[in-house]
Amino acid sequence: MNTPAKWEAVIGLEVHVQLLTQTKMFCGCTNHYGDAPTSHVCPVCLGLPGSLPVPNEEAIRLTLLTGLMLGCTLAPVARFDRKNYFYPDMPKNYQISQYDDPLCAGGQVPLDPFLFPKEIQDTAEAKAGRAIRLTRIHLEEDVAKSFHFEDRSGIDFNRAGTPLMEIVSEADLRTPGEAFSFLGSLRQVLLAGHVSHADMEKGQMRCDVNVSVRPIGQKEFGTKVELKNLNSTSGVRRALTYEIARQIAACEKGEAIAHETRRWDDEAGATFTMRTKEKAHDYRYFPDPDLLPVRTDQGLLEAARTRLPELPTVLQSRLIQSFGVTAYQASVLGADRILCAYFEKAAAQAKSKATVANWILNDFLSTQPDPTTTPILPEFFGELADLVADGTINSAQAKKVFAELMANPASPREIVKRLGLAQISDASALGTYCDEAIVANPRSVEDYRAGKTNAINALKGFVMKKSQGKANPLQVDEILKAKLSA
Amino acid sequence: MSLAYETIATLRRRLLSKEIHPRDILKDLFTQIDAREKTLHAYTYLHRESALAAAEKADLSLPLGGIPIALKDNLNTLGDPCTCASKILEGYKAPYDATAVSLLRQAGSILLGRTNMDEFAMGSSTENSALGLTRNPWDPTRIPGGSSGGSAAAVAGRIALAALGSDTGGSIRQPAALCGCVGLKPTYGRVSRYGLVAFASSLDQIGPLTRTVEDSALLLSVLAGHDPRDNTTDLRPPEKFLTQKNGSVQGLRVGLPKEYFLPGMDSETESAIRSAADWFKKNGATLVDVSLPHTPTAIAVYYILATAEASANLARFDGVRYGRRATDARDVLDLYHRTRSEGFGAEVKRRIILGTFVLSQGYADAYYRQAQKVRALLRQDFEKAFTQCDLLLTPTSPEPAFPLGERTQDPLKMYLADVFTISTNLAGNGAISLPCGFTKSNLPIGLQLIGPRFGEETILRAAHAFEQSHDFLQRLPPS
């Protein structure tokens, strides 16, 4: 981002999240994608005359759970409203949503510094540790999906009436990187609660962006532009980067920003006008008379509370404190609960837990990325780390053991025996090797004694070679120093 | 005598004693229909063959076993048209049964036919039907009332034993009054609305139109109860109504709301209602003067809230998925415009436009939200009145059936036909209309008894006692 210093962007996000429920929001139809078009439908989700909605309590519980996870204020009584507009993908020509009394209000999403784009994770922007305030979270029904063919359009109603949770942020975001991290950090929370798979590229999480620019120091917002067709987190970032630059360039030329909706074209890498917003749409919201107010205090809230998971931020601090992993490792482990559970099992009994983290995150992930199917028991990593820690093998040997572990999974102790790798820690045997080294390298001995302490490395190398790499390097170091200063 | 003239209760006894067969009832009804339907035009659709087939398989052990029943044409039944008397639902066949319909089927009744109505239940005369006029059996130059005019005309004209209607502002009670039959609007939440094509969701209720109070109770016992498909149905366990008929109103406190007895009201109606009140007093009830002070606001509140809800409820009729679709549309917007312009009648359009307006930005506070507040006050009126009495006694309609065509050009005057029935929909209470007299020109007059919420048993007992000591049932419309 090379926004000239005198401008700042103001960004707000509206995130739609598909919920992991068995059935749709207001009927018993299966909530599932990818099946034959219009195969999961009934009079209710088709909006046939006479049909009536009945709310899906699981969707309400998942929304309340999200509210709990994000620190929202939960409404004791929430209401559903009708949002009126005509569109062919909307069977009733009104959408059941929430307007005046949403399930959740307020709350925030803490930005995970390691969920900023890689190349800016070291910047002050990522390290600022900001939390983005939320306006509200509400529940609504999704619309059907339109398909446009050459001479006609078709509508698949499988998605019509599926539960959709809308999370609206305050205009707190300032950079494309923050928006990127917001979506990633929010996703981690949703995954932790099993609320949604929240994969933007699969449409499980969809995002509309509002963005404006203003001179730094100015309190008033600039004219807001809404961006649509953002299908990935990086797409959001790229679109924002483009749009902010476009708006700044326009402002610097003294042009007015039009209040409009613009479409992001990922291939062109640019935004284009979709429609102007001269007339604000009047959705004529009113409470849906088919639905009673939702009393969240009658069991729903309690049920949500019992499902509260360990939140990403809490998990990360625990990993750092109890396992000595780095903040980065904590973020990576926190982002994959299955891998994290694997790691915790592996490190539970290990003496050097940080070593286990290194093995798993560096070596293991690059070869066997799926911890659920691997034949390698997590305990093996603890054992391997212990073998290094107690000096049975050195780190070079550990690499060999690891390679063998991947090829023919077995206990690392077994492998050490099988490969005959056990480190030589016997002082007299090592002493013999060291004596040989001193005799064979008079030049290095001289250098060392003359103050060139690095010269000891040549002697160590000799010992390692002689011992076929089995010598305990720390002990060798001690013995050589003792002998040389004698 | 033709079985078409009998009550359900009597026919059930005769069926159970094997004296008659369900096909005998149908045969007599069809003979009667062939003679009278041409004049009355109460039906939009008759299930002649399927009804006869069902009669052969009828399970008499069920509470309505072998009894044919007519349905207002806004109740979905699997495989049948459901026109709502609108051109916009041309060709539509329902792929499911309304809960009320499946309850009737489960109770053993036979679906006889579908009855005419004001389009989407919007009207008080059945003149707003796109499928033709229905006439009043007592005087074919007059309206049968509405919107359940087809149901009322069929029951009163002895071409149906009973029919279901729907009541949003008086659409069961007012036609029942004008046709001289018994019409019951249950308490909101008593009967499932699932499968009833919605006009105004917070006001609509399905209810029976019958010849007698006993038949009304019989049908309500079948229809009432919680439905998991209707979030607004009450959770109380099912009830059987009027199982004890002692015919007494002794000790009953009957309230006469002063706002329902106005100077200048139709004198024959007023005197019939006053004599009904006297009957209650003579038979041991106490008459109490009560007030429902917000009554004068009811029509305004109703035409804001009902139209607001209707504007959304009727948005789905757009030609995209079912029913009528305009041809030669340029694009989807044009398809909406043409389909809805061609498909809806004038009154429906008027109400959609009104409802859209009262919800619009800048107007919703003054109209929609203000009306919701007044509705709460109306509800309080009733709650307060029912601390002083057990039932309210009022006229159902300010006047007897008016001539066809008299008010079609004056919607406001038409709206006033429901002045005595609308408040109960806004408050949610149950109410019945039953015959209480005739004008000199032989037109029926209806008495309305309003109960507290879920007070149908009280309503039905009092209505039954009143009915038993009068002989209005003996009086038949001219054939």
Side-chain angles (χ1 to χ4, degrees):
Chain A
M1 256 304 295
N2 41 8
T3 310
K6 56 180 186 155
W7 295 96
E8 98 179 325
V10 175
I11 305 161
L13 301 182
E14 286 168 26
V15 184
H16 287 91
V17 178
Q18 290 183 343
L19 298 181
L20 283 171
T21 58
Q22 296 291 310
T23 55
K24 293 190 182 183
M25 186 59 228
F26 294 110
C27 63
C29 289
T30 306
N31 176 19
H32 188 259
Y33 298 90
D35 297 327
T38 312
S39 57
H40 300 309
V41 292
C42 74
V44 177
C45 57
L46 285 177
L48 294 187
S51 64
L52 294 174
V54 177
N56 181 336
E57 292 201 345
E58 175 64 2
I60 295 172
R61 281 191 290 269
L62 290 177
T63 306
L64 292 172
L65 175 60
T66 306
L68 284 171
M69 292 191 293
L70 296 174
C72 303
T73 306
L74 306 181
V77 179
R79 280 179 184 78
F80 287 107
D81 295 280
R82 292 183 181 180
K83 179 182 183 180
N84 295 285
Y85 66 95
F86 278 74
Y87 207 75
D89 65 14
M90 198 159 63
K92 301 183 294 297
N93 286 323
Y94 64 80
Q95 180 189 29
I96 305 177
S97 180
Q98 296 191 279
Y99 190 61
D100 282 328
D101 301 296
L103 282 160
C104 315
Q108 58 177 31
V109 174
L111 300 183
D112 184 334
F114 297 101
L115 293 173
F116 274 76
K118 273 248 164 3
E119 68 275 17
I120 59 168
Q121 284 178 6
D122 275 334
T123 63
E125 178 189 336
K127 289 178 171 167
R130 293 191 67 203
I132 303 304
R133 290 172 304 154
L134 299 178
T135 313
R136 57 188 278 154
I137 304 177
H138 71 250
L139 189 53
E140 59 189 28
E141 54 177 345
D142 207 345
V143 296
K145 203 166 180 182
S146 299
F147 292 88
H148 301 290
F149 309 110
E150 209 167 302
D151 61 339
R152 57 182 57 227
S153 294
I155 304 169
D156 174 3
F157 286 93
N158 286 350
R159 198 178 69 183
T162 57
L164 202 58
M165 181 172 70
E166 182 171 337
I167 301 170
V168 183
S169 87
E170 293 286 308
D172 275 1
L173 298 152
R174 292 292 173 267
T175 67
E178 285 183 350
F180 184 91
S181 174
F182 177 90
L183 292 168
S185 307
L186 174 61
R187 176 161 192 256
Q188 288 313 318
V189 173
L190 298 172
L191 289 174
H194 300 285
V195 169
S196 172
H197 292 312
D199 186 340
M200 274 193 82
E201 286 171 42
K202 290 182 183 156
Q204 294 156 343
M205 187 156 105
R206 305 197 284 268
C207 177
D208 293 338
V209 173
N210 287 303
V211 55
S212 60
V213 296
R214 64 182 173 191
I216 286 178
Q218 179 182 305
K219 277 212 167 128
E220 298 76 32
F221 292 145
T223 304
K224 181 169 80 173
V225 168
E226 186 176 354
L227 300 183
K228 289 207 180 268
N229 195 39
L230 304 163
N231 302 318
S232 67
T233 325
S234 55
V236 170
R237 184 189 177 207
R238 286 195 300 275
L240 274 169
T241 305
Y242 172 88
E243 180 61 19
I244 291 166
R246 185 191 73 84
Q247 290 187 18
I248 291 170
C251 289
E252 285 184 337
K253 274 189 267 173
E255 291 168 7
I257 303 294
H259 185 209
E260 61 181 356
T261 300
R262 296 177 70 86
R263 185 178 185 283
W264 167 245
D265 184 330
D266 210 42
E267 265 174 49
T271 63
F272 299 96
T273 298
M274 249 174 101
R275 55 175 182 263
T276 54
K277 291 197 171 186
E278 280 150 11
K279 275 190 290 182
H281 211 303
D282 181 1
Y283 292 115
R284 304 189 307 280
Y285 283 98
F286 73 100
D288 191 331
D290 287 331
L291 293 160
L292 299 178
V294 179
R295 294 287 306 267
T296 57
D297 50 1
Q298 290 172 348
L300 287 166
L301 194 50
E302 270 322 296
R305 220 183 283 282
T306 58
R307 284 153 63 165
L308 253 181
E310 186 176 32
L311 291 171
T313 47
V314 176
L315 171 63
Q316 288 177 23
S317 327
R318 185 171 63 79
L319 290 173
I320 292 168
Q321 275 165 22
S322 315
F323 295 91
V325 304
T326 66
Y328 171 74
Q329 288 174 328
S331 173
V332 175
L333 285 168
D336 185 340
R337 297 274 165 149
I338 294 167
L339 181 70
C340 188
Y342 188 87
F343 162 73
E344 288 190 50
K345 232 179 191 173
Q349 303 297 328
K351 293 188 195 91
S352 171
K353 298 178 194 308
T355 313
V356 176
N358 290 336
W359 278 113
I360 289 184
L361 292 176
N362 301 337
D363 304 82
F364 173 64
L365 264 193
S366 58
T367 53
Q368 294 254 354
D370 188 355
T372 52
T373 56
T374 179
I376 299 160
L377 301 178
E379 290 79 7
F380 290 172
F381 284 103
E383 212 177 297
L384 180 59
D386 282 356
L387 288 172
V388 179
D390 67 16
T392 311
I393 55 174
N394 57 40
S395 55
Q397 289 171 317
K399 290 242 185 257
K400 283 187 191 157
V401 176
F402 177 82
E404 181 61 16
L405 184 59
M406 293 297 133
N408 303 296
S411 145
R413 274 183 217 287
E414 292 289 315
I415 294 173
V416 166
K417 267 191 211 156
R418 199 196 296 160
L419 301 183
L421 284 178
Q423 190 165 255
I424 299 167
S425 300
D426 174 44
S428 68
L430 292 177
T432 312
Y433 285 131
C434 291
D435 288 340
E436 282 179 38
I438 288 169
V439 172
N441 298 280
R443 182 81 185 271
S444 302
V445 173
E446 211 171 293
D447 286 350
Y448 180 83
R449 287 190 171 137
K452 292 181 183 166
T453 49
N454 275 345
I456 201 169
N457 290 337
L459 302 174
K460 280 189 201 169
F462 183 90
V463 174
M464 294 313 282
K465 204 172 170 188
K466 272 273 170 191
S467 67
Q468 293 171 308
K470 293 184 198 174
N472 180 330
L474 291 176
Q475 259 179 293
V476 171
D477 186 68
E478 275 170 32
I479 294 170
L480 278 173
K481 278 181 184 159
K483 286 188 188 287
L484 291 170
S485 56
Chain B
M1 191 174 74
S2 165
L3 298 178
Y5 287 73
E6 296 289 2
T7 68
I8 295 174
T10 309
L11 291 171
R12 280 288 299 159
R13 280 190 287 277
R14 294 177 67 182
L15 283 169
L16 286 172
S17 70
K18 308 274 178 209
E19 190 191 324
I20 56 168
H21 187 273
R23 85 175 76 86
D24 304 329
I25 304 173
L26 280 176
K27 244 167 52 193
D28 283 3
L29 276 170
F30 283 128
T31 307
Q32 195 75 4
I33 287 168
D34 291 338
R36 309 217 59 200
E37 171 63 2
K38 225 177 164 161
T39 313
L40 297 180
H41 185 54
Y43 287 99
T44 56
Y45 191 85
L46 280 162
H47 305 290
R48 283 182 194 263
E49 280 171 28
S50 62
L52 284 166
E56 296 307 321
K57 301 183 292 191
D59 180 351
L60 298 183
S61 69
L62 297 167
L64 292 174
I67 300 297
I69 295 194
L71 300 174
K72 187 173 181 178
D73 204 358
N74 59 355
L75 286 157
N76 283 275
T77 70
L78 177 66
D80 292 335
C82 183
T83 68
C84 298
S86 179
K87 283 193 283 189
I88 209 154
L89 275 165
E90 254 170 27
Y92 176 69
K93 282 195 175 162
Y96 74 105
D97 270 344
T99 298
V101 174
S102 35
L103 289 171
L104 286 181
R105 287 192 208 264
Q106 282 160 34
S109 68
I110 296 165
L111 303 185
L112 176 64
R114 307 180 63 78
T115 59
N116 200 13
M117 56 188 281
D118 285 297
E119 185 179 5
F120 286 105
M122 296 176 179
S124 308
S125 68
T126 313
E127 290 166 297
N128 295 331
S129 168
L131 305 177
L133 294 175
T134 296
R135 292 168 189 275
N136 191 310
W138 298 89
D139 177 352
T141 69
R142 290 174 187 268
I143 56 114
S147 68
S148 310
S151 290
V155 173
R158 272 61 185 172
I159 56 174
L161 305 172
L164 295 193
S166 66
D167 191 316
T168 308
S171 280
I172 289 174
R173 290 161 289 160
Q174 185 258 14
L178 269 43
C179 289
C181 52
V182 176
L184 174 68
K185 182 202 90 80
T187 305
Y188 186 80
R190 176 74 91 174
V191 177
S192 169
R193 294 182 293 115
Y194 187 79
L196 164 69
V197 180
F199 160 16
S201 314
S202 74
L203 302 160
D204 297 340
Q205 270 292 288
I206 296 169
L209 290 103
T210 54
R211 310 252 176 80
T212 64
V213 175
E214 187 183 11
D215 285 0
S216 188
L218 205 59
L219 284 180
L220 183 65
S221 302
V222 168
L223 298 172
H226 174 70
D227 178 9
R229 290 180 186 277
D230 179 355
N231 195 230
T232 63
T233 47
D234 196 77
L235 290 165
R236 66 190 62 221
E239 266 178 73
K240 295 284 166 239
F241 298 93
L242 208 61
T243 49
Q244 287 171 0
K245 302 182 260 291
N246 62 9
S248 165
V249 294
Q250 185 73 41
L252 198 69
R253 296 172 301 161
V254 176
L256 302 174
K258 67 174 185 202
E259 292 79 6
Y260 285 62
F261 296 89
L262 298 170
M265 72 189 287
D266 177 70
S267 61
E268 288 184 293
T269 300
E270 186 177 8
S271 74
I273 301 303
R274 295 275 182 208
S275 358
D278 289 344
W279 178 89
F280 276 92
K281 195 176 175 185
K282 254 183 266 159
N283 284 274
T286 322
L287 297 184
V288 190
D289 286 323
V290 297
S291 173
L292 301 167
H294 293 91
T295 301
T297 65
I299 290 207
V301 169
Y302 176 87
Y303 278 97
I304 291 168
L305 298 182
T307 59
E309 293 180 17
S311 71
N313 283 332
L314 271 63
R316 70 191 67 196
F317 303 105
D318 60 5
V320 172
R321 293 166 308 279
Y322 46 78
R324 187 191 180 96
R325 172 186 285 200
T327 48
D328 304 325
R330 289 187 309 275
D331 52 33
V332 71
L333 211 59
D334 191 41
L335 175 76
Y336 293 155
H337 288 158
R338 288 191 193 210
T339 300
R340 291 167 68 81
S341 299
E342 294 164 8
F344 288 135
E347 181 61 26
V348 173
K349 285 178 192 161
R350 184 178 296 123
R351 295 197 194 190
I352 290 173
I353 291 166
L354 183 57
T356 305
F357 171 73
V358 299
L359 286 173
S360 297
Q361 213 164 36
Y363 299 97
D365 282 333
Y367 294 102
Y368 178 79
R369 278 183 268 277
Q370 188 67 13
Q372 286 289 26
K373 289 179 200 158
V374 183
R375 181 179 187 176
L377 296 175
L378 274 156
R379 208 175 277 144
Q380 284 169 24
D381 279 1
F382 278 91
E383 279 163 18
K384 209 173 139 214
F386 283 114
T387 61
Q388 299 165 265
C389 63
D390 305 308
L391 279 181
L392 293 170
L393 184 153
T394 78
T396 306
S397 160
E399 64 206 331
F402 47 86
L404 286 162
E406 190 190 82
R407 301 193 184 167
T408 43
Q409 297 313 310
D410 188 350
L412 277 181
K413 206 166 170 199
M414 188 74 96
Y415 295 172
L416 291 173
D418 293 327
V419 65
F420 296 144
T421 47
I422 267 175
S423 295
T424 31
N425 296 81
L426 290 165
N429 298 50
I432 201 167
S433 176
L434 69 162
C436 69
F438 286 84
T439 65
K440 286 194 229 44
S441 48
N442 203 31
L443 293 173
I445 296 168
L447 166 71
Q448 178 173 235
L449 297 175
I450 306 168
R453 288 169 58 77
F454 298 99
E456 279 85 343
E457 181 65 20
T458 312
I459 297 174
L460 289 163
R461 281 195 195 196
H464 185 253
F466 180 83
E467 179 190 70
Q468 289 304 298
S469 69
H470 295 84
D471 61 354
F472 303 121
L473 196 59
Q474 309 310 317
R475 200 139 154 188
L476 295 174
S479 44

